[in-house]
Amino acid sequence: MFLITGYVLVGVSALVILYFLVAFALARMRVPGEPVPEEQQEISIYILHNGVHTDLVVPLKSDVYDWLHYVNYRHTKGQDASARFVAFGWGDKGFYLDTPTWADLKASTAFKAMTGLGASAIHATFYRNMQENAACRRLGLSKEQYARLVRYIQRRFDLDTAGNTILIKTDAQYGQADAFYEAKGRYNLFFTCNTWANEGLKACGQTACVWTPFYKGIFYHYDKPLRQHAPGR
């Protein structure tokens, strides 16, 4: 019995180590963005992280799309009509709604998230302005590229029979300017919130990594002081 337990522990440890090694290697393999002349980069988007999750931040309204067709600042506690940007994050519904801090994390929530047994949600956060810093990078997109990103984000929303997004009524908001919506797909070890954001960058022709479950994999390629990276090129 002890021998079998030892083999199991060694096997699990080996798999965990392999997971992190593969994540490290593939995150540093660069998928180059589509070259777009600066004069054609008409839409500014941002990638934003909070130390765990990566959000895709887009204009609330533009010539390409008005996100008020899908989300609304009136769904937030603050109902601030002056918002000009909206950040989208996709992830496990249990993590979003039941785990306000790491101290609140339950083993059952973590197990469901890692194995893809839980439902998913989209977290929308409204901002008046965006400021570039170490946790927030601006990317210049053409209108055609941005239209692709709009379609990519839209496809993750779960819709009702009338084609409308489904607001999750909860008191679990993180602040005065965010809301949650029902989403499609299953979060798991191989497709996390950061994987979703990374795939979104690929969808709109921006620099990304081959694969990553962590935010650092994305931001490795946008570390301007070290690599002098030009977004979108």
Side-chain angles (χ1 to χ4, degrees):
M1 177 62 71
F2 288 110
L3 186 60
I4 294 175
T5 302
Y7 282 136
V8 170
L9 291 175
V10 169
V12 170
S13 298
L15 289 175
V16 170
I17 292 171
L18 179 62
Y19 176 84
F20 281 98
L21 287 175
V22 171
F24 180 86
L26 295 184
R28 278 153 180 75
M29 295 175 64
R30 182 171 177 264
V31 177
E34 301 168 357
V36 176
E38 189 171 351
E39 62 272 15
Q40 293 181 21
Q41 297 178 14
E42 301 178 81
I43 304 288
S44 290
I45 71 163
Y46 297 82
I47 49 174
L48 173 69
H49 77 79
N50 65 358
V52 179
H53 300 280
T54 302
D55 282 351
L56 300 173
V57 188
V58 299
L60 186 57
K61 295 182 180 181
S62 71
D63 293 340
V64 176
Y65 191 69
D66 182 349
W67 279 105
L68 291 178
H69 294 308
Y70 259 57
V71 298
N72 202 304
Y73 58 85
R74 293 188 179 90
H75 295 157
T76 69
K77 292 179 180 179
Q79 299 189 359
D80 185 358
S82 65
R84 297 172 53 241
F85 297 91
V86 58
F88 291 110
W90 173 90
D92 181 74
K93 188 175 180 179
F95 262 121
Y96 272 140
L97 303 183
D98 302 329
T99 314
T101 68
W102 287 112
D104 299 300
L105 179 61
K106 299 177 182 177
S108 58
T109 301
F111 179 78
K112 287 181 180 179
M114 290 188 296
T115 56
L117 295 176
S120 61
I122 286 180
H123 185 218
T125 307
F126 296 84
Y127 293 94
R128 293 181 183 177
N129 297 292
M130 298 303 299
Q131 181 66 48
E132 273 200 285
N133 52 49
C136 182
R137 298 300 193 194
R138 187 192 75 82
L139 290 75
L141 276 63
S142 68
K143 288 185 177 180
E144 189 275 331
Q145 288 175 324
Y146 181 56
R148 280 187 266 154
L149 180 61
V150 169
R151 292 192 293 270
Y152 176 82
I153 296 172
Q154 285 177 327
R155 285 195 292 267
R156 275 292 161 174
F157 279 89
D158 199 6
L159 306 178
D160 62 20
T161 54
N164 300 312
T165 55
I166 305 168
L167 175 69
I168 299 174
K169 296 181 179 180
T170 176
D171 293 324
Q173 289 98 330
Y174 295 171
Q176 294 294 308
D178 63 317
F180 292 96
Y181 299 85
E182 297 288 357
K184 297 176 181 177
R186 301 282 182 174
Y187 181 106
N188 58 67
L189 280 172
F190 304 100
F191 197 90
T192 70
C193 52
N194 298 301
T195 311
W196 176 80
N198 187 63
E199 292 301 310
L201 294 176
K202 292 179 185 178
C204 62
Q206 301 306 294
T207 296
C209 51
V210 172
W211 174 75
T212 183
F214 308 116
Y215 84 90
K216 287 186 177 180
I218 296 172
F219 278 79
Y220 173 82
H221 299 281
Y222 289 90
D223 190 351
K224 293 178 181 177
L226 293 181
R227 277 167 274 280
Q228 296 296 314
H229 173 77
R233 296 189 180 185

